[in-house]
């Protein structure tokens, strides 16, 4: 009996060893959630459309920077942590850049664009009554958008670049009157897209024009095919806006009318 008990004990131990060996050879399976990148693959994030690495970073503790810039469009992206008034005062040695002031009513992220026509030394000064940060970068002009172009934002902002063929277009906004920001269409070099008479910036929606043309649709012309972008200036920031650019369909060709028979 004692010998039989020892054999049974050895058999149990043998089964346990085999079981442990078998479990050790099974590869563990890890389930990754959609928000958890695998450690074996680098997680990538697409850059913000139209921007590159900052040339300089500013803040309420470091509100100014001077840069030697090549011709092109410079983007100033800013982030305000709370309600405040922000003032933007860029200056260049050889060209004039328009200063501006923005009323911020709650945490907000916006952007301004400045066209630099020639190689120049420029200083960017920003002041605010609260905590803020800003980045100065060169705006990319590699348009991936073509009509119909649907744009939306909140407050003062610069759209990504888009390509327009020479022709006639419809600019449509969703907000009108006091709720509408000022919309300015810009060439890829940062200059304004003026009307045929060189009297206003197309599409002509904004504070000055709303009294005479309070509608939501405006026709405008593109005299030369190329890359453009939209600058939006809002009185209140943030303040939602929506706009679109569509090709104006050509008018149908009218055929001859019905024949008029002479009465006898």
């Amino acid at each position: 009996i004692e010998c039989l008990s020892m054999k049974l004990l050895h058999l149990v131990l043998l089964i346990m060893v085999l079981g442990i060996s078998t479990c050790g050879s099974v590869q563990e399976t890890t389930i990754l959630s959609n928000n958890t990148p695998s450690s074996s693959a680098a997680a990538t994030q697409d850059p913000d459309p139209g921007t590159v690495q900052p040339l300089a970073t500013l803040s309420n503790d470091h509100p100014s920077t001077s840069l030697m810039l090549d011709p092109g469009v410079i983007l100033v992206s800013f982030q305000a942590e709370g309600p405040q008034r922000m003032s933007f005062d860029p200056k260049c040695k050889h060209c004039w850049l328009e200063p501006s002031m923005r009323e911020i009513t709650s945490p907000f992220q916006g952007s301004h664009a400045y066209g630099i026509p020639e190689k120049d030394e420029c200083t960017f000064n920003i002041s605010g009554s609260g905590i803020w940060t800003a980045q100065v970068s060169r705006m990319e002009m590699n348009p991936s958008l073509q009509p119909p172009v649907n744009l939306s934002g909140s407050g003062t902002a610069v759209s990504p670049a888009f390509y327009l063929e020479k022709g006639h277009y419809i600019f449509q906004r969703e907000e009108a009157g006091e709720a509408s920001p000022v919309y300015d269409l810009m060439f890829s070099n940062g200059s304004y897209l003026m009307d045929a008479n060189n009297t206003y910036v197309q599409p002509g929606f904004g504070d000055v024009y709303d009294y005479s043309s309070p509608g939501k649709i405006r026709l405008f012309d593109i005299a030369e095919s190329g890359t453009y972008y939209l600058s939006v200036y809002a009185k209140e920031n943030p303040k939602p806006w929506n706009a679109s650019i569509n090709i104006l369909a050509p008018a149908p060709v009218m055929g001859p009318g019905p024949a008029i028979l002479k009465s006898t």
Side-chain angles (χ1 to χ4, degrees), residues 32-73:
L32 299 177
S33 69
N34 292 333
N35 298 323
T36 306
S38 171
S39 59
S40 62
T44 59
Q45 182 176 359
D46 293 333
D48 183 53
T51 63
V52 294
Q53 287 295 102
L55 301 173
T57 299
L58 304 177
S59 68
N60 48 285
D61 294 325
H62 179 63
S64 179
T65 187
S66 293
L67 300 166
M68 182 62 70
L69 299 171
D70 291 324
V73 177

Side-chain angles (χ1 to χ4, degrees), residues 88-131:
F88 301 83
D89 187 19
K91 289 183 172 66
C92 295
K93 286 188 174 180
H94 301 111
C95 69
W96 180 80
L97 302 180
E98 184 177 359
S100 62
M101 186 173 293
R102 295 287 168 255
E103 294 288 344
I104 313 296
T105 58
S106 62
F108 175 68
Q109 297 184 17
S111 55
H112 283 290
Y114 303 97
I116 309 297
E118 59 181 278
K119 190 177 182 68
D120 207 345
E121 183 179 354
C122 301
T123 300
F124 294 89
N125 297 293
I126 303 176
S127 61
S129 55
I131 298 175

Side-chain angles (χ1 to χ4, degrees), residues 159-210:
S159 79
F162 46 83
Y163 183 82
L164 298 178
E165 293 278 357
K166 177 181 178 180
H168 308 292
Y169 290 84
I170 300 173
F171 187 98
Q172 181 173 354
R173 60 179 180 175
E174 294 301 319
E175 297 78 25
E178 291 292 327
S180 174
V182 176
Y183 294 103
D184 287 342
L185 280 166
M186 315 292 290
F187 287 98
S188 60
N189 62 2
S191 59
Y192 294 105
L193 176 65
M194 305 298 293
D195 71 308
N197 297 321
N198 204 36
T199 55
Y200 65 88
V201 182
Q202 298 192 83
F205 277 138
D207 296 3
V208 177
Y209 313 108
D210 278 343

Side-chain angles (χ1 to χ4, degrees), residues 148-161:
V149 178
N150 297 307
L151 302 170
S152 62
S154 182
T156 300
V158 179
S159 79

